[in-house]
Amino acid sequence: MKTRAITGFFFVIVMLASVLLGQFVFVTFYLMLSAFCLYEFYSLVTQNTAKPDIVLGIINGMMLFAGIAVLIFSDNITLLLSYKAAHSLLFLMPLTSALVFIRQLYNKSASPFNNIAYTYLGIVLVIVPFTFFHALAFVKGAYDFHFPLAFLILLWANDTGAYLVGMKFGRTKLFERHSPKKTWEGFIGGIIISAGVALILAHFYTELPWNQWVSIAIIISCIGTLGDLVESMFKRSINVKDSGGILPGHGGLLDRFDGLFLAAPIVYMYLYFIAS
């Protein structure tokens, strides 16, 4: 428990620093973090499921993240250079993507398309959500750390609330087939606590009215819980308990960001189409 608490403390410090130290640190940190998460995904799959193309998968993932990041990061460089750099990265992807297929021609694998499928599944499951999370900081144009920071705070509030309420009052299993410890009581408790934190945030982050912050909290709680269940389903399908051991007492990086993977794109969509 002590190890878990110490790891959690430093994890929170690092995550807070990633959004508070400015846009260059923010973009670079999440580019590297998404690459490490993708590597962890491939490492899990490689154990007993498939042999994804780790090198080309990470190259394609980083090019996708960087290309989109440059497109929305144009306030620090000229717009023309921004678009040229972004287009160069994105338009090179058909070549690097084709190489994923071509390399399988020379691999002596009984299931080459299984390898290809997992290579792209990692990009869709890991890189795309981090791209949307990164875009939260620029949803209003210029860099604003309020949105990604609020996302993390609300996600942590939901996880903490669900854990505490579930431990104290949990009786009814939420989805026993994939996560035996999750309960409906914990799920509802997480929503309530996250919504309460959103009301507090609304007093300090006035970009949105209180009801929209609460709506975001509910989205994060509901969709984030589904993301957690999806990650549990993934780990059960390949017979592993934790996604890794990089965070002592907490498992791997995928274990820490499973709620983000489904929730970040939905929250961005909400902000872009509704809150804006």
Side-chain angles (χ1 to χ4, degrees), residues 169-176 180-187:
F169 304 105
R171 298 292 183 273
T172 310
K173 300 299 181 182
L174 176 64
F175 213 124
E176 190 171 9
K181 294 183 179 180
K182 290 190 182 301
T183 63
W184 278 102
E185 292 83 0
F187 172 65

Side-chain angles (χ1 to χ4, degrees), residues 5-18 149 152 156:
I6 294 173
T7 302
F9 174 77
F10 284 104
F11 175 78
V12 170
I13 295 298
V14 171
M15 296 306 296
L16 291 177
S18 71
L149 180 57
L152 292 175
W156 295 337

Side-chain angles (χ1 to χ4, degrees), residues 19 26 30 133-138 143-154 213 271:
V19 298
F26 179 75
Y30 283 97
F133 177 77
H134 157 268
L136 287 176
F138 302 91
Y143 178 73
D144 184 354
F145 70 85
H146 286 180
F147 289 111
L149 180 57
F151 182 99
L152 292 175
I153 291 173
L154 294 175
W213 280 119
L271 289 171

Side-chain angles (χ1 to χ4, degrees), residues 102-116:
I102 294 170
R103 284 186 60 169
Q104 288 301 316
L105 291 173
Y106 299 93
N107 287 340
K108 296 179 180 180
S109 172
S111 305
F113 277 91
N114 201 31
N115 301 335
I116 294 169

Side-chain angles (χ1 to χ4, degrees), residues 203-215:
H203 287 284
F204 300 96
Y205 294 174
T206 56
E207 292 91 344
L208 301 175
W210 69 268
N211 59 318
Q212 290 189 351
W213 280 119
V214 171
S215 296

Side-chain angles (χ1 to χ4, degrees), residues 34-43 45-46 50-64 92-93 95-101 103-104 107 115-116 118-120 122-123 127:
S34 62
F36 279 117
C37 286
L38 183 58
Y39 177 78
E40 186 174 273
F41 174 86
Y42 288 150
S43 298
V45 171
T46 302
K51 294 183 178 179
D53 195 321
I54 297 177
V55 174
L56 283 176
I58 292 176
I59 289 174
N60 276 283
M62 295 187 74
M63 288 174 65
L64 176 63
L92 279 173
M93 286 192 66
L95 172 61
T96 53
S97 295
L99 290 175
V100 174
F101 291 85
R103 284 186 60 169
Q104 288 301 316
N107 287 340
N115 301 335
I116 294 169
Y118 274 102
T119 300
Y120 283 106
I123 295 173
I127 300 297

